Amino acid sequence: AQSVAQPEDQVNVAEGNPLTVKCTYSVSGNPYLFWYVQYPNRGLQFLLKYITGDNLVKGSYGFEAEFNKSQTSFHLKKPSALVSDSALYFCAVRDQSPEAGTASKLTFGTGTRLQVTL
Amino acid sequence: KAGVTQTPRYLIKTRGQQVTLSCSPISGHRSVSWYQQTPGQGLQFLFEYFSETQRNKGNFPGRFSGRQFSNSRSEMNVSTLELGDSALYLCASSPTRGGGRTDTQYFGPGTRLTVL
């Protein structure tokens, strides 16, 4: 079974500093990995995904993620944090459904709360 | 394009009642998945529908059910509500073009269910 681990419940960073939110995964086949962000009382907003290709994936709002197969990691990064980036971040892995043509379930990590302060 | 919409946004029920939540996917999307989010269990997959058929089901009791209509809109139903069913219920849609594994799931704002 697929699994995702987010080892940090909370990450604190000062505005303007780089940020990293960590994620490690466990899958039996090719990993399809996603990052989502959740603001208070809102649903999940898609940030970026890794399917194949370049290990550095660029996404929305200046976020990027680095895929590392040997370390089974997919860390989310941003060069310069903003106070408005404060939110709950989820890493997720796509289930390896054998049936093509249908979207299969996402398995989520427990989430990391990012707090950016002035 | 309009995003995924969910109704109602907030709901208060009492134990033993039943509830129906609705989800309208992004236009052209044919797959709808439902997730439950709670502080204790996090985000958990409930079920997935594609072409009006349930394709995948999570580890939830039979009190949780769903369906999908020909226009891809989906409903989920919870019968005999329990206090532990209080949660944010999220719906996600996906286009499923060219193989679903690489598609992105786009989430709605959720329905906040409180069971008293």
Side-chain angles (χ1 to χ4, degrees), chain A residues 20-86:
Chain A
T20 298
V21 182
K22 295 179 180 177
C23 171
T24 58
Y25 66 89
S26 174
V27 298
S28 55
N30 292 325
Y32 301 131
L33 299 159
F34 300 77
W35 274 102
Y36 286 86
V37 60
Q38 186 176 36
Y39 295 96
N41 299 316
R42 304 280 294 275
L44 301 178
Q45 294 181 29
F46 169 72
L47 283 177
L48 49 80
K49 65 182 177 183
Y50 173 82
I51 303 300
T52 186
D54 290 341
N55 290 339
L56 187 63
V57 179
K58 293 193 181 296
S60 306
Y61 314 118
F63 284 93
E64 57 190 28
E66 187 172 6
F67 172 72
N68 188 314
K69 189 172 183 178
S70 63
Q71 297 185 6
T72 62
S73 65
F74 189 55
H75 300 333
L76 181 70
K77 301 184 179 188
K78 188 174 182 183
S80 179
L82 298 172
V83 171
S84 57
D85 292 330
S86 298

Side-chain angles (χ1 to χ4, degrees), chain B residues 6 9 25 32 36 47 60 69 71 74 88 95-96 109:
Chain B
Q6 293 187 245
R9 291 292 310 278
V32 172
Q36 181 197 64
F47 25 64
F60 279 82
F69 302 94
N71 61 359
S74 177
L88 181 66
T96 68

Side-chain angles (χ1 to χ4, degrees), chain B residues 6-107:
Chain B
Q6 293 187 245
T7 56
R9 291 292 310 278
Y10 301 91
L11 207 49
I12 300 175
K13 293 285 187 179
T14 56
R15 280 181 299 173
Q17 287 187 310
Q18 74 166 15
V19 66
T20 299
L21 312 181
S22 181
C23 171
S24 293
I26 292 171
S27 178
H29 285 196
R30 297 173 62 196
S31 175
V32 172
S33 297
W34 289 88
Y35 294 82
Q36 181 197 64
Q37 185 179 21
T38 59
Q41 299 298 317
L43 280 154
Q44 293 187 289
F45 172 78
L46 278 158
F47 25 64
E48 171 202 352
Y49 286 87
F50 177 73
S51 292
E52 302 176 64
T53 303
Q54 188 179 90
R55 299 301 180 120
N56 206 347
K57 190 177 191 306
N59 188 25
F60 279 82
R63 300 185 297 105
F64 291 81
S65 62
R67 59 177 174 168
Q68 187 181 34
F69 302 94
S70 58
N71 61 359
S72 295
R73 190 177 69 86
S74 177
E75 289 180 347
M76 66 163 283
N77 184 278
V78 187
S79 62
T80 320
L81 284 166
E82 301 178 358
L83 294 179
D85 297 334
S86 294
L88 181 66
Y89 290 89
L90 294 163
C91 165
S93 78
S94 178
T96 68
R97 287 191 298 268
R101 299 180 201 182
T102 62
D103 287 347
T104 297
Q105 290 188 17
Y106 295 93
F107 285 79

